[in-house]
Amino acid sequence: MTSKQDPRLSPASPKGLSQVKHHLRQQGRATIRGLKKATIRDWMQAIAIPISVALLAFFGNMITTMFNQAQYANSQRQHQGDVEIAKDQQRETTLQTYFDRMSDLILNDHLKTTKDYDIRNVARTRTLEVLPQLDPHRKGEIVQFLHDTGLINTGSVIVNLSQADLNQAYLKGSDLSNADLENASLVGANLRLAQMNAADLSGANLMGTNLSSARLMKTNLSSADLNGANLQFAQMGAADLGGADLGKINQNYAHLSGANLSHVTGVTTAQLRRAKSLQGTIMPDGSRHP
C-alpha cells in the first residue's frame, strides 16, 4: 500500500517551501555561531604558544646578555686591577734600582766628594730619567733621599734638579730646608706643612702647588711661577718673591713680614692685604709696608 504525502508539506507547495527555507536559515545561523566560537578559541590557542615562546626567548636573551655584560665588566675590572698592580710593582722595582745605583755611586764612586763631573752627570741623568716613571709618593721619596744624603743642598749642589719632573710629588710635611730645587717643575705638588726654610725655589714651576702652612722663611722664590698656588697660612717671613707670578694664589693669612714682593705679577695690593702680616714687606711698587 503506497502512503500519500500531505500536499501541504510538499516542497513544491508554498508552505512547505517556506518551512524548508526557515529550517535552513536556522541551521546556517547555528553553524556560523559555532564557527565563530571555534575560530576565536582556536585563534587564541594558536597564538598563545608562539607568543609564549617568543617571550621566553626574549627574556632568555636579555638575561644572557646581562650576564655576559656583567662577566665582561668584572673581567675588565680584574684586568685593570692586574695591570695597575703590575705597573705599581714596576714602579717599585724602578725606585729600588735607582736607590741601589745611587748608593753605589755614593759608596764606590764617592759621589758626595768627587770633583769628577762625569760621575755627577751620571747621577743627574739617572735621576731625571727615573722621576717621570714614578707616582707622586715615590717622587717624594727620591727628593727626600737626595736631601737626606746631602746631594741637593743649596751652595753645594751635587745633583742638579733643574727641569726635574717633580709634578704632583707628595712631600707633605717633608723637611727640605736648604734644598736646591731651582728651576724644577713642581706643578700640583703637595708641600703642605713642609719645612723649606732657606730653600732655593727660584724659577721653579709651582703652578697649583699646595704650600699651605708650609714654612718658607728666607726661601728664594724669585721669578717662580706660583699661579694658582695655595699659600694659606704659609710662613714666608723674609722670603724673596721678586718677579714671581702670583696670579690666582690663595695668600689668606699668610705671614709675609719682611718678604720681597717687588715686581710680582698677577696680584694687586688690595689682594696682598689679605695676608696675615705685611710688616716691613717690600710691595710690588717698591715701597716698604709699615
Side-chain angles (χ1 to χ4, degrees):
M1 181 174 178
T2 303
S3 62
K4 294 182 180 180
Q5 187 178 15
D6 189 344
R8 293 175 299 177
L9 298 178
S10 174
S13 69
K15 186 175 182 180
L17 183 60
S18 175
Q19 288 178 339
V20 170
K21 288 182 179 179
H22 175 72
H23 178 70
L24 291 176
R25 282 198 297 268
Q26 292 297 326
Q27 284 186 332
R29 290 193 187 101
T31 302
I32 291 172
R33 283 197 297 271
L35 288 173
K36 284 183 178 181
K37 290 180 180 179
T39 301
I40 293 173
R41 183 172 58 253
D42 292 344
W43 180 80
M44 292 178 66
Q45 290 176 346
I47 66 172
I49 294 176
I51 289 177
S52 299
V53 172
L55 288 174
L56 286 173
F58 173 77
F59 286 111
N61 289 335
M62 185 172 67
I63 292 172
T64 300
T65 300
M66 292 172 63
F67 178 75
N68 290 338
Q69 288 176 342
Q71 275 196 321
Y72 177 76
N74 289 333
S75 176
Q76 287 296 98
R77 282 194 292 269
Q78 181 64 45
H79 174 70
Q80 189 61 35
D82 293 341
V83 169
E84 289 303 317
I85 290 173
K87 286 182 179 180
D88 190 68
Q89 290 173 342
Q90 181 58 50
R91 287 190 286 262
E92 183 61 24
T93 299
T94 300
L95 179 66
Q96 294 306 320
T97 301
Y98 171 81
F99 284 153
D100 291 342
R101 291 179 177 176
M102 290 297 291
S103 297
D104 183 63
L105 287 174
I106 293 171
L107 296 174
N108 298 322
D109 294 302
H110 311 291
L111 177 61
K112 295 177 68 174
T113 58
T114 185
K115 300 299 181 182
D116 188 338
Y117 284 96
D118 287 338
I119 294 176
R120 292 188 175 191
N121 284 334
V122 169
R124 168 176 161 79
T125 300
R126 285 181 179 173
T127 303
L128 297 188
E129 287 178 349
V130 166
L131 284 169
Q133 303 175 45
L134 302 179
D135 56 277
H137 282 80
R138 291 186 174 94
K139 284 184 179 182
E141 288 186 52
I142 284 186
V143 175
Q144 196 66 66
F145 167 80
L146 294 172
H147 179 265
D148 293 346
T149 53
L151 298 175
I152 56 171
N153 289 342
T154 55
S156 58
V157 178
I158 297 170
V159 178
N160 187 341
L161 292 181
S162 177
Q163 306 304 318
D165 179 2
L166 298 175
N167 298 330
Q168 310 296 325
Y170 186 84
L171 290 158
K172 180 181 177 181
S174 298
D175 183 1
L176 297 173
S177 299
N178 297 296
D180 192 321
L181 297 171
E182 180 182 2
N183 293 318
S185 183
L186 289 140
V187 176
N190 188 343
L191 289 161
R192 185 172 182 271
L193 297 168
Q195 303 288 324
M196 303 190 74
N197 295 328
D200 188 352
L201 290 163
S202 59
N205 189 345
L206 296 160
M207 291 181 63
T209 298
N210 185 357
L211 288 159
S212 61
S213 301
R215 296 187 67 83
L216 299 159
M217 309 287 285
K218 298 183 179 180
T219 299
N220 186 356
L221 288 155
S222 59
S223 301
D225 188 348
L226 287 154
N227 203 295
N230 184 0
L231 299 172
Q232 192 172 27
F233 297 107
Q235 302 288 328
M236 305 179 71
D240 183 3
L241 291 102
D245 183 353
L246 303 182
K248 300 180 182 179
I249 64 167
N250 179 0
Q251 79 285 0
N252 293 346
Y253 306 106
H255 292 261
L256 292 165
S257 300
N260 176 19
L261 299 176
S262 60
H263 307 296
V264 297
T265 59
V267 67
T268 65
T269 300
Q271 290 172 320
L272 288 173
R273 289 199 179 100
R274 298 175 187 168
K276 181 71 174 179
S277 174
L278 290 170
Q279 185 176 2
T281 299
I282 299 175
M283 303 303 284
D285 60 3
S287 63
R288 187 177 292 276
H289 195 277

